[in-house]
Amino acid sequence: MLATAKLPPGPKGRPVVGNLLDYSRDPLDFLTRCVREYGDVVRLKFPGPPAYLLAHPDHIEQVLVTNNRNFIKDRVTRSQLSILGDGLLTSDGAFWRRQRRLAQPAFHHQRVANYAGTMVAYTERMLEGWRDGEQRDIHRDMMRLTLEIVAKTLVDADIADEAENVGEAIGAVMAHFSDQGNGVFLRMLPDSVPTPSNLRYRRAQRQLEEFIYGIIDERRKSGRDTGDLLSMLLHARDEDGGRMSDEQLRDEVMTVIMAGHETTAIALSWTWRLLALYPDVEKKLHAELDEWLGGGPPTIVDLPQLPYTDAVLKESMRLYPPAWAIGREAVEDCEIGGFHVPAETQLFISQYVVHHDPRFFEDPDVFDPDRWTNGLEKQIPKYAYFPFGGGPRLCIGQSFAKMEAALLLATIARRFRIRIPEDQRVVPQPSITLRPKQGIQIRLEER
């Protein structure tokens, strides 16, 4: 029997819609205020089952790690990521564990290290088209670059000619779940209702599926085994000796391509903006790169010698975590923080909220990479900083993403400074990821 039936406090909300309108106006501000006003466990009122917001590292660890089997993906995530089918991000239980086991070798340390040369080569190929004084949307550039890299390294597809169209389709899918152009009530309608947003979404989905099935079909016909993720999945057999269907392969490839490039691109996009806003940090980064690289491109063996580069990326992902929230659903009744959690309760955990908590980070809104060079990680609770999630469902591509972000940052920053218009206002758009709304306009300055 549970020790308590007490429910957590929370904002009152409005009739019928509860807190939905307040949340929709500014999710980041609303959730942050809720924690400041009501504490580490907040009861939110949305249409549907009970919803709690969790904001203390101990409670987060309970859900993601110590009692993780009592929690599955939440309903919002299952709905928003339905395009991924039963891929690693959306599946649960025994099926998820099987798929994770099959995919894990593609992200083994040594295999990931072999991708480094491709990452740098693709970045330098992009830089060949950059010119001093040129105006660009750096977010668009990062999205295209990381898309090309993940396609080449994980499914051995050179998509330079298709990257623009594929990137636009992925952008349309992400925009479908954002506040951009969609009212609260329109976003509550099923995808089958032919609203303009739903029609754009379905067109984008068809385009992405044609692209991915094309990759799978080509690989099946060629019989090539390049040792990448797709090869491993194509040749994997289950306990009964059966192979994965095209639909299963589609789900995993869609997951890898969408999730595998989106988060790294977003992390780099925010990093460029922060470096432009904090010139002292930028100078320190350039000094480290100049001293160690000596004018040459970075390699994987250089990364351990670039601690400030690593700190810059850590701090950027603290302020603007690309995966800004995690959702879970309670399978059975339980207790968190002394409060009763009924079965089917939707639990929301926001990296953005926790990463900005002054209990764990001094001057939490300031971009200060030095905080990470002074041993902060050992001083704060483990789940005060968790940009890649945690527990058994820790992002499978964490080492891939961290290496890629560091190599791309070093490759670009050693050759260019990024400048931004003084009056430019960039707004975070909390959809599935934390994209910069309408991109980030910059001017290149060759070093």
Side-chain angles (χ1 to χ4, degrees):
M1 184 171 179
L2 294 172
T4 179
K6 185 170 65 169
L7 298 178
K12 289 183 179 179
R14 306 163 192 262
V16 183
V17 297
N19 303 130
L20 188 59
L21 287 174
D22 295 322
Y23 171 85
S24 178
R25 289 192 184 101
D26 190 340
L28 302 178
D29 178 69
F30 173 74
L31 295 178
T32 300
R33 283 190 291 106
C34 281
V35 172
R36 303 296 183 263
E37 292 177 24
Y38 299 102
D40 289 324
V41 184
V42 182
R43 182 163 50 99
L44 303 173
K45 295 178 181 176
F46 294 135
Y52 291 3
L53 170 66
L54 307 181
H56 194 281
D58 292 347
H59 305 154
I60 294 166
E61 186 169 19
Q62 178 183 342
V63 172
L64 299 184
V65 185
T66 55
N67 194 25
N68 71 84
R69 295 227 174 185
N70 190 46
F71 304 98
I72 59 174
K73 289 284 185 176
D74 67 294
R75 295 185 184 186
V76 172
T77 300
R78 297 199 301 265
S79 169
Q80 287 192 341
L81 296 180
S82 60
I83 190 173
L84 303 182
D86 287 323
L88 279 175
L89 274 178
T90 48
S91 57
D92 275 300
F95 180 81
W96 170 81
R97 287 190 287 276
R98 172 184 177 274
Q99 297 298 96
R100 175 94 178 198
R101 191 167 56 250
L102 292 175
Q104 191 70 57
F107 296 95
H108 184 272
H109 174 74
Q110 186 53 52
R111 191 174 295 277
V112 167
N114 292 336
Y115 302 145
T118 299
M119 294 172 177
V120 173
Y122 272 51
T123 306
E124 294 205 305
R125 184 176 73 179
M126 177 191 74
L127 295 180
E128 289 174 3
W130 284 21
R131 298 292 179 266
D132 184 46
E134 186 179 14
Q135 309 282 332
R136 304 190 68 90
D137 179 349
I138 194 70
H139 177 58
R140 187 183 183 92
D141 286 336
M142 294 301 98
M143 292 291 282
R144 175 172 180 139
L145 175 60
T146 58
L147 177 60
E148 291 183 11
I149 287 172
V150 79
K152 181 60 180 176
T153 55
L154 297 184
V155 298
D156 193 31
D158 191 334
I159 65 165
D161 295 336
E162 302 168 273
E164 194 75 23
N165 291 335
V166 174
E168 287 180 1
I170 292 173
V173 169
M174 294 298 181
H176 178 68
F177 300 111
S178 72
D179 292 338
Q180 191 174 34
N182 293 328
V184 172
F185 297 104
L186 282 178
R187 284 187 283 116
M188 294 173 66
L189 293 174
D191 290 339
S192 57
V193 178
T195 66
S197 174
N198 284 346
L199 291 173
R200 284 192 298 271
Y201 171 72
R202 276 148 53 184
R203 280 196 302 270
Q205 182 175 359
R206 286 195 300 271
Q207 185 177 349
L208 288 172
E209 287 183 339
E210 287 174 7
F211 167 70
I212 287 168
Y213 278 126
I215 291 174
I216 295 169
D217 185 58
E218 186 279 329
R219 186 67 70 85
R220 280 204 191 279
K221 288 178 178 175
S222 71
R224 290 183 297 119
D225 183 352
T226 57
D228 58 14
L229 175 65
L230 181 54
S231 292
M232 291 178 184
L233 297 178
L234 275 165
H235 293 90
R237 293 182 179 274
D238 59 25
E239 293 80 0
D240 300 321
R243 295 186 185 273
M244 293 177 67
S245 67
D246 280 1
E247 289 74 21
Q248 287 176 296
L249 289 167
R250 171 258 184 223
D251 292 349
E252 298 302 351
V253 173
M254 182 80 82
T255 298
V256 164
I257 286 181
M258 288 191 66
H261 92 285
E262 174 93 5
T263 51
T264 305
I266 290 172
L268 286 166
S269 299
W270 288 116
T271 300
W272 295 122
R273 173 165 172 78
L274 289 165
L275 288 170
L277 291 172
Y278 289 81
D280 289 344
V281 174
E282 182 190 54
K283 284 181 185 176
K284 197 166 180 179
L285 172 67
H286 287 156
E288 178 178 82
L289 296 176
D290 294 346
E291 178 182 2
W292 184 258
L293 299 179
T299 67
I300 190 169
V301 298
D302 295 316
L303 296 185
Q305 310 303 323
L306 301 174
Y308 196 70
T309 303
D310 179 64
V312 165
L313 289 165
K314 275 184 180 172
E315 181 70 347
S316 174
M317 287 191 287
R318 183 188 68 81
L319 285 169
Y320 296 102
W324 69 279
I326 296 171
R328 293 288 186 268
E329 177 179 310
V331 176
E332 297 179 354
D333 286 20
C334 63
E335 184 180 304
I336 298 177
F339 295 105
H340 178 53
V341 180
E344 298 189 357
T345 296
Q346 308 298 296
L347 300 172
F348 297 98
I349 298 165
S350 172
Q351 289 99 318
Y352 182 91
V353 172
V354 180
H355 289 185
H356 286 77
D357 195 319
R359 292 177 296 178
F360 313 120
F361 302 99
E362 186 177 351
D363 297 323
D365 297 328
V366 174
F367 180 55
D368 179 17
D370 279 320
R371 71 174 86 233
W372 298 103
T373 63
N374 295 326
L376 175 66
E377 209 151 7
K378 295 180 181 178
Q379 301 166 22
I380 58 176
K382 184 174 182 181
Y383 284 91
Y385 180 75
F386 55 114
F388 294 97
R393 299 197 73 126
L394 179 73
C395 175
I396 193 173
Q398 176 183 207
S399 58
F400 180 101
K402 290 169 74 172
M403 181 183 77
E404 180 184 24
L407 288 171
L408 270 57
L409 176 60
T411 303
I412 297 169
R414 76 180 184 87
R415 292 182 54 184
F416 287 94
R417 293 185 182 88
I418 304 299
R419 297 291 175 254
I420 58 175
E422 291 184 7
D423 59 346
Q424 182 179 197
R425 181 170 177 261
V426 181
V427 179
Q429 187 174 47
S431 178
I432 298 172
T433 53
L434 195 61
R435 283 187 170 203
K437 190 174 183 178
Q438 299 176 341
I440 300 176
Q441 304 302 317
I442 58 97
R443 177 174 57 81
L444 297 175
E445 188 176 285
E446 197 163 3
R447 297 184 63 210

